Amino acid sequence: MAFRAREIVLPAVGRDLQVAESEVPEPEGDQVVIRQSVSGICFRDILTRDGFMPRVRTPGVIGHEISGTVVAAGPCAEYVKEGDRVASLIYRPCGRCEFCLTGRENLCPNKEVYGETLRGGYSDLAIVSEKSLVKVPGHIGEDEAAIAACVTGMVYHALKVVGNVQDGSRVLITGAGGGVGIHAVQVAKRLGATVIAETTSQSKVEAIHRAGADHVVVTTGRFDGEVKKLTDGGVDVALEAVGIATFESSLRSLRTGGTVVVVGNVQPEPVGLPLGLIILKGNRVEGSISSTRKDMMDVFELSRGGRIRAVVDRHIEPGEINRAYEDIRARKNTGRVLIKF
Ligand SMILES: [Zn+2]
Ligand SMILES: [Zn+2]
């Protein structure tokens, strides 16, 4: 028995997305078919549409933020069964390399990303490998499950696993009103940090404070002077979710020994690195990519009592996708935009 899916297809790089229908076959091997009611729109999807992800297969279903209820499991699936609530990594790990075998599957060199080389998440029915899945506990809502891999799990990995943020850490979050930033504020607070949030939009300040930020810096220019003043000399960790527009200020906002953790690069251009400063202050610049299954499970635990919530700008219909892309590119959204199927 095949399933009828409603989906959003990228016909070719650079083109508008289109709503379509297709047949999803019975799952094979360790494949699992998941019925989704929501799926997130990521800046990476916009970069994919624009041609920055050379491996993307078109025409194809893009998107990679997958969660929902299992409706069919392949003959080799052993971890999940029909009816289970699950959330998926944004990629399929190989399960055999040194990184996969040591719980660092986000670095797996053999991983295949949903919505690029594998069928993606912009559909009411997603097909994923069981190797990508974690079960979703009952206290986690639908929207929270939808953002577990690519937003909350991703920022948890960057802040906790890479940045070693802990009780008393001083943390700077750039682009704090966006889909990534506003959840990073919540996760950093939950880890016990004092949070300085940077945004370019006055209109997002209230929402950023509501997410838990201790200080919000509104600027379209440099902000390192103000961050240093607010933190008595600088932050331990700067989460850089923007790129060239904020990177240098983030680096200059660090205290001695501090680290910039780079997770976002919405304007994909190289940045200048002041080497003398890095040497003198013993600073580090670290990249952090995506999340692991453990990160998602840790975020589910940290979320108990509703302490990490999805901040959703709005739920859109599939047919509104191209308009939503323009709004996200113009940074009009506060929090995540989710597609409702
Ligand atoms: Zn994403
Ligand atoms: Zn691997």
Side-chain angles (χ1 to χ4, degrees), residues 195-224:
V195 175
I196 321 299
E198 179 272 342
T199 178
T200 54
S201 324
Q202 187 65 42
S203 62
K204 297 182 181 178
V205 170
E206 199 192 318
I208 296 168
H209 270 302
R210 236 182 293 132
D214 297 278
H215 306 279
V216 182
V217 176
V218 185
T219 176
T220 51
R222 279 183 63 167
F223 48 81
D224 44 293

Side-chain angles (χ1 to χ4, degrees), residues 42 64-65 150 336:
C42 190
H64 53 255
E65 303 189 359
C150 201
R336 207 64 161 173

Side-chain angles (χ1 to χ4, degrees), residues 40-45 63-65 90 146 149-151 154 180 290 336:
I41 303 174
C42 190
F43 207 88
R44 182 176 178 140
D45 304 341
H64 53 255
E65 303 189 359
I90 76 163
C150 201
V151 188
M154 186 274 284
V180 169
S290 200
R336 207 64 161 173

Side-chain angles (χ1 to χ4, degrees), residues 25-46:
E26 276 287 312
E28 294 171 359
D30 76 346
Q31 285 180 338
V32 173
V33 180
I34 297 167
R35 185 169 297 285
Q36 304 199 96
S37 51
V38 287
S39 184
I41 303 174
C42 190
F43 207 88
R44 182 176 178 140
D45 304 341
I46 298 175

Side-chain angles (χ1 to χ4, degrees), residues 37-38 67 85 140-148 310-312 315 338 340:
S37 51
V38 287
S67 64
R85 286 183 72 211
I140 297 295
E142 222 167 55
D143 292 351
E144 282 74 18
I147 64 167
V311 179
V312 178
H315 293 90
L338 301 178
K340 182 108 192 143

